[in-house]
Amino acid sequence: MSVKQYIQDNQEKFLSELLDLLRIPSVSADPKFKDDVFAAAEFVRASLEKAGADKVELCQTAGYPIVYGEKIINPELPTVLVYGHYDVQPADPYELWDSPPFEPVIKKTERHPEGAIFARGSADDKGQFYMHVKAFEAMMANEDLPCNIKFMIEGEEEVGSEHLDIFVKENKEKLKADVVLVSDTHMISLENPSVTVGLRGLAYMQVEVTGPNRDLHSGTYGGAVANPINILCKMIASLQDENNHITIPGFYDKVENYSVDYRKALNDAPFDIEAYKKELDINEVHGEVGYSTIERVGIRPTLDVNGIWGGYTGEGAKTVLPSKAYAKISMRLVPNQDHKEIAKLFEAHFKAIAPDSVKVTVTPHHGGQAAVVSTDTAGYRAADLAIQEAFGKKAIPTREGGSIPICSLFQQELGLDPILLGFGLDTDALHSPNEHYGVKNYYMGIETIALFFKHFKNEASK
Ligand code: BES
Ligand code: MN
Ligand code: MN
């Protein structure tokens, strides 16, 4: 039997196992789900062992464990390190889901005519990292594992991979490999397969604006005392100018300007702006003047308010001049922008623009660096060849707007470029209600990953 045949014969089993994993609500951000996050780690541990991995263990950290497993068939052969995460985003707001987030169902959609699995974590990242476990199982079952393999599946990606940093730094020997393979990103479509060659970084801030020392009657004091919500809105509005350019001094200092050719190549990727607008129900796109939508997401930094609150938001009307206003503000960064430096620039600027009538505190949350991946490596060539064999088309290199902070750590600490071989679609609703993952994407992913190993063995020995 061939690996491909094994994958085809086991489609149903592979799917039902994934559904079991998706039933575990492993939300890392919410301590309420602590036991479930551990249960997901245990599920991954058991599935690696069953697939044939050696030295499978839960590596304890100060947070959630990292699941490790390996199969070293021959130390002379190249080694692939697979990274993924078993934790998921919170599913809130539950009422916006058409079916319960941890009770997976399969439904057809316009972009997934053959069906998609609806569940939190289906695309991000359980459905994607589990493809690697299944590809490994298929290769093992056929005694056809072309390279050594190491798995590192963590449980804190969605909360900033706080403890992975130390783990990678302390376990360089254990993690030694020739390439890192990650499926936690998007592809353009099954018709236009792509490999991600860039991810943005992230700086995430919380701000608190305080006006008077208590909530006030908005009639007695309104107009005479600063309203921190009014002030916060003005401050936020001033962070972008009329060209949607960010106004924080120094913010763009290290942002790379790309050549006309590079930008043209990016914009040559298939992208249907009308379908994009239609899918989001918007009349017009928005962003930095002078850049296309692909560029705005892929190679330009941005600033967004993720949440804003304060004052009275209950039923009816309460006339109140609130004492405090809050916002969570994130900045997506591009290569060379250091997230700690940007956090400092933000803080200094935000304090500088605050009027004397309010007090401001700024607290940084987790952040991460951007990453760009070379297309001139054995890993990229192997990914491209695997895609060509599975899809009959060359891979299109794309730059994506999301962040996987660990990628730059792999480059820095292990000297390895991650190969971002993702099979989700941008419409799969990651982090949103009704997250889903195409069943066909899942199967094609498993097949492509197995092919990657075959091609990497050749490419790495050239
Ligand atoms: N898998 C995503 C990142 C992603 C999504 C990259 C889509 C490319 C396309 C990852 O799980 C994620 O959500 N990352 C966070 C950052 C993290 C520090 C919480 C993000 O991008 O918001
Ligand atoms: Mn992810
Ligand atoms: Mn995510």
Side-chain angles (χ1 to χ4, degrees), residues 124 157-158 431:
D124 185 10
E157 198 277 342
E158 299 291 10
H431 295 202

